[in-house]
Amino acid sequence: MQNKYYIETFGCQMNVHESEKIAGMLEALGYSPAATRDDANVIVFNTCCIRDTAEQKISGNIGELKALKREDKSRIVVIAGCMTQQKGAAEALAAKFPFIDIVLGTANLYELPAKIAELKERRARHRGKVVAISYDDNPPIDESVPVARTSYPNAWVNITYGCNNFCTYCIVPYVRGRERSREPEAIIDEIRSLLAEGYKEITLLGQNVDSYGSDRSDGVGFAELLRRIAALPGKFRLRFMTSHPKDLSEEVVSIIAETPNFCKNIHLPVQAGSDRILKAMNRKYDRAAYLGLIDKIRKYMPECGLTTDIMVGFPGETEEDFLDTVDLVKRVRYQNAFTFVYSPRRGTVAATMPDQIPYAVKRDRITRLIAVQNAITEELSGEFTGKTYEVLVEDAPKPGMLCGRTDSGRLVNFAGDRSLVGQFVDIRITGNKASALYGEIVDNG
Ligand code: SAH
Ligand code: SF4
Ligand code: F3S
């Protein structure tokens, strides 16, 4: 068991990509990936704290590491990611789980190699663990961190870090700092070399991609960045997440519509359908503005796949507010919705609002909401049957079976050889099960 690492990732795509950076740093130190936790001598948990359920699950998983650590004391257990960056959390984690060796914050993730060296030196002197959190809200962007990518044919590319929006329910601005945009040249260079390496899909990442550049003085905003990406040669797919309804501009919508390489697929979190609740959430748009934006997107791209995030049980949410959300879902007819029960996060404004909703009410509302959305998803899925779509083959989940997505973001399963991963194929849809489509490769030969 020499020099192997295992990374367990929780949370959003931002974390998935950051785990690729953790892997890159560990590989530069001479570590190689292990198949399981048991085979690794460095175990990293890249954590999330967006909801209490996430934190509970992660705490349970960290607890399981105790036995592994007892088995081999030379193992290095690292806890990184958003959970560690909450006020007082790093110390609490270190106290609750004495077998943790390194707690590393989000702002100083790039210090991992230095912290491993520090730990090894301390161990030589029989002295404890390393807790390293930076409370700098505006840390510089380190462009030199190596990346060991695991998501071919897709490549994640950060365009911004952090968030300035302070939606009242959300912990992200507290654990990820202020919004920082990468230099446009750094982004374009990275995409150019990824395409040269053979990546077929680029997904731009930011908490609010539409406000890209607002912290920079070169005048390059999201629309201009997209134009520069559109000018890159070759066939590839571009996706991005997440758009914020208050900032997604008509200019951006029109660029997506007219650029063949850009997927007609927009994730546009609405959160709630009631103006009162949207205001209390500090989302800075109302129901009418949101629905107007959806109309605009559909005018430019009638086939655009629309998905969303919705929360139920925000403080003060009445049955009427909830029914406004259900009504909005029925009007928009999303191809898919990620639905959440509101979870109070310590330090956020909403956590101290009066009229917190009892769990039983939240449970009831989310069950009803999911039923409405499932019926819509099922109906929309049925409309795909018999038609043919271009699909990028993304993975081979089991022998002889492949999966990939349509341009509009629908997941399709079909039979084929794994050598096709990374290629574009035409798939005729034969049926569906809920949101998953099934199909067969069309022989164009
Ligand atoms: N930056 C993105 C998403 C961030 S978190 C955006 O603005 O849309 C992903 C989703 O988690 C959010 O869209 C929201 O629906 C949900 N979420 C965030 N905080 C939450 C909380 N305290 N309780 C429940 N769901 C939450
Ligand atoms: Fe959270 Fe709002 Fe920022 Fe999204 S935009 S990360 S929901 S504060
Ligand atoms: Fe993402 Fe969770 Fe952090 S959703 S930004 S990993 S709190």
Side-chain angles (χ1 to χ4, degrees), residues 307-376:
T307 57
T308 199
D309 292 348
I310 310 174
M311 207 182 299
V312 300
F314 186 82
E317 184 189 68
T318 61
E319 174 68 13
E320 201 184 342
D321 293 322
F322 169 70
L323 292 176
D324 282 345
T325 298
V326 172
D327 179 73
L328 183 136
V329 164
K330 287 182 177 165
R331 273 171 205 250
V332 177
R333 294 174 64 77
Y334 297 103
Q335 78 176 10
N336 228 328
F338 301 90
T339 52
F340 307 106
V341 165
Y342 166 72
S343 165
R345 304 283 68 208
R346 202 153 30 88
T348 62
V349 173
T352 58
M353 285 180 180
D355 206 3
Q356 298 283 327
I357 306 298
Y359 186 71
V361 176
K362 290 179 180 170
R363 200 62 262 161
D364 171 63
R365 287 183 186 159
I366 197 151
T367 308
R368 286 148 68 200
L369 180 64
I370 290 171
V372 170
Q373 178 58 44
N374 282 352
I376 295 168

Side-chain angles (χ1 to χ4, degrees), residues 50 162-173 207-208 242 244 246 271 281-283 311:
I50 197 81
C163 182
N164 288 350
N165 291 307
F166 288 94
C167 301
T168 53
Y169 50 80
C170 186
I171 193 74
V172 172
Q207 295 298 348
N208 176 357
T242 304
H244 195 306
K246 80 177 164 68
Q271 312 299 357
M281 287 176 163
N282 191 32
R283 289 291 288 179
M311 207 182 299

Side-chain angles (χ1 to χ4, degrees), residues 131-421:
V131 176
I133 307 286
S134 157
Y135 290 102
D136 182 356
D137 252 358
N138 234 324
I141 295 173
D142 188 337
E143 292 287 355
S144 69
V145 176
V147 185
R149 294 183 186 270
T150 52
S151 58
Y152 177 86
N154 175 62
W156 309 105
V157 173
N158 275 111
I159 64 169
T160 64
Y161 298 90
C163 182
N164 288 350
N165 291 307
F166 288 94
C167 301
T168 53
Y169 50 80
C170 186
I171 193 74
V172 172
Y174 301 90
V175 295
R176 289 285 180 169
R178 295 294 62 72
E179 184 174 275
R180 284 104 61 209
S181 304
R182 288 177 71 193
E183 276 182 32
E185 293 75 22
I187 297 169
I188 299 296
D189 285 351
E190 183 176 4
I191 296 176
R192 197 180 280 120
S193 52
L194 288 166
L195 297 176
E197 284 171 44
Y199 286 89
K200 296 292 164 41
E201 182 179 78
I202 303 294
T203 307
L204 306 179
L205 292 178
Q207 295 298 348
N208 176 357
V209 289
D210 306 284
S211 59
Y212 170 79
S214 56
D215 56 320
R216 297 179 49 81
S217 55
D218 57 11
V220 179
F222 190 48
E224 175 58 20
L225 183 69
L226 288 180
R227 273 198 207 93
R228 293 186 188 183
I229 297 171
L232 295 172
K235 181 179 168 72
F236 63 95
R237 282 181 167 184
L238 184 95
R239 299 185 190 276
F240 51 83
M241 65 191 319
T242 304
S243 290
H244 195 306
K246 80 177 164 68
D247 294 319
L248 175 61
S249 68
E250 181 157 2
E251 192 185 7
V252 162
V253 173
S254 77
I255 295 170
I256 299 163
E258 72 199 21
T259 310
N261 278 346
F262 291 3
C263 290
K264 310 313 179 234
N265 181 195
I266 300 183
H267 182 61
L268 197 61
V270 67
Q271 312 299 357
S274 142
D275 282 346
R276 217 172 55 79
I277 297 296
L278 285 170
K279 194 162 179 11
M281 287 176 163
N282 191 32
R283 289 291 288 179
K284 298 199 167 77
Y285 54 84
D286 60 16
R287 177 187 171 89
Y290 185 90
L291 289 170
L293 189 52
I294 295 285
D295 286 347
K296 210 169 275 170
I297 294 170
R298 290 205 163 128
K299 191 182 85 193
Y300 280 92
M301 299 175 273
E303 300 290 299
C304 188
L306 287 165
T307 57
T308 199
D309 292 348
I310 310 174
M311 207 182 299
V312 300
F314 186 82
E317 184 189 68
T318 61
E319 174 68 13
E320 201 184 342
D321 293 322
F322 169 70
L323 292 176
D324 282 345
T325 298
V326 172
D327 179 73
L328 183 136
V329 164
K330 287 182 177 165
R331 273 171 205 250
V332 177
R333 294 174 64 77
Y334 297 103
Q335 78 176 10
N336 228 328
F338 301 90
T339 52
F340 307 106
V341 165
Y342 166 72
S343 165
R345 304 283 68 208
R346 202 153 30 88
T348 62
V349 173
T352 58
M353 285 180 180
D355 206 3
Q356 298 283 327
I357 306 298
Y359 186 71
V361 176
K362 290 179 180 170
R363 200 62 262 161
D364 171 63
R365 287 183 186 159
I366 197 151
T367 308
R368 286 148 68 200
L369 180 64
I370 290 171
V372 170
Q373 178 58 44
N374 282 352
I376 295 168
T377 300
E378 186 84 41
E379 271 177 50
L380 294 179
S381 296
E383 292 172 10
F384 283 74
T385 304
K387 297 181 186 151
T388 298
Y389 296 88
E390 185 179 64
V391 166
L392 172 60
V393 185
E394 293 175 34
D395 200 7
K398 49 185 180 194
M401 277 311 284
L402 301 175
C403 68
R405 276 175 300 167
T406 64
D407 171 270
S408 67
R410 293 302 297 251
L411 190 71
V412 189
N413 302 290
F414 48 97
D417 187 77
R418 72 172 310 130
S419 61
L420 290 173
V421 171

Side-chain angles (χ1 to χ4, degrees), residues 10-12 14-15 47-50 82 171-172 175-176 207:
F10 303 87
C12 64
M14 203 65 80
N15 260 17
T47 64
C48 170
C49 56
I50 197 81
C82 295
I171 193 74
V172 172
V175 295
R176 289 285 180 169
Q207 295 298 348

